[in-house]
Amino acid sequence: QVQLVESGGGLVQAGGSLRLSCAASRSIFTINAMGWYRQAPGKQRELVAMFRSGGITNYADSVKGRFTISRDNAKNTIYLHMNSLKVEDTAVYYCNAKVVASVTTEYDYWGQGTQVTVSS
């Protein structure tokens, strides 16, 4: 029901910056939560940053102060601004959307993923 298209990944040197974009197929006002996860080789997918209901944001401790999640409602798009990148930030980054289906159930939708590689 919700299609997510990511862009902006690439190769960057440590200390550099990248901006990831995720465009949703419908108004993000109808999506209860949107954000970014990442998965490094051999590791579990982890939350990076998320908008929750009411615009509340949540960041992984490892990225606080370096990454910023933002949104453009007119473009149905969220962004992840990544600054001061570290080698350990290397991962596939996935856009995620959560839609409430009932009072007890949320459905998850995922983008295709975009590779971010940080070199020393």
Side-chain angles (χ1 to χ4, degrees), residues 4 22-34 51 70-78:
L4 304 170
C22 173
S25 61
R26 73 190 203 196
S27 173
I28 59 177
F29 290 120
T30 68
I31 300 172
N32 300 101
M34 286 189 71
F51 281 114
S70 63
R71 62 191 176 196
D72 186 332
N73 295 331
K75 296 181 179 179
N76 295 339
T77 299
I78 65 166

Side-chain angles (χ1 to χ4, degrees), residues 4-11 18-22 36-40 45 80 82 89-95 110-117:
L4 304 170
V5 180
E6 299 152 319
S7 62
L11 175 65
L18 282 174
R19 186 185 73 169
L20 306 183
S21 300
C22 173
W36 297 91
Y37 289 71
R38 67 185 181 188
Q39 188 166 23
R45 188 173 298 186
L80 185 67
M82 304 184 293
D89 294 318
T90 296
V92 177
Y93 284 70
Y94 296 91
C95 186
W110 297 93
Q112 79 284 358
T114 185
Q115 177 72 47
V116 172
T117 302

Side-chain angles (χ1 to χ4, degrees), residues 2 46 52-53 98:
V2 180
E46 64 176 348
R52 295 285 184 179
S53 296
K98 301 181 187 296

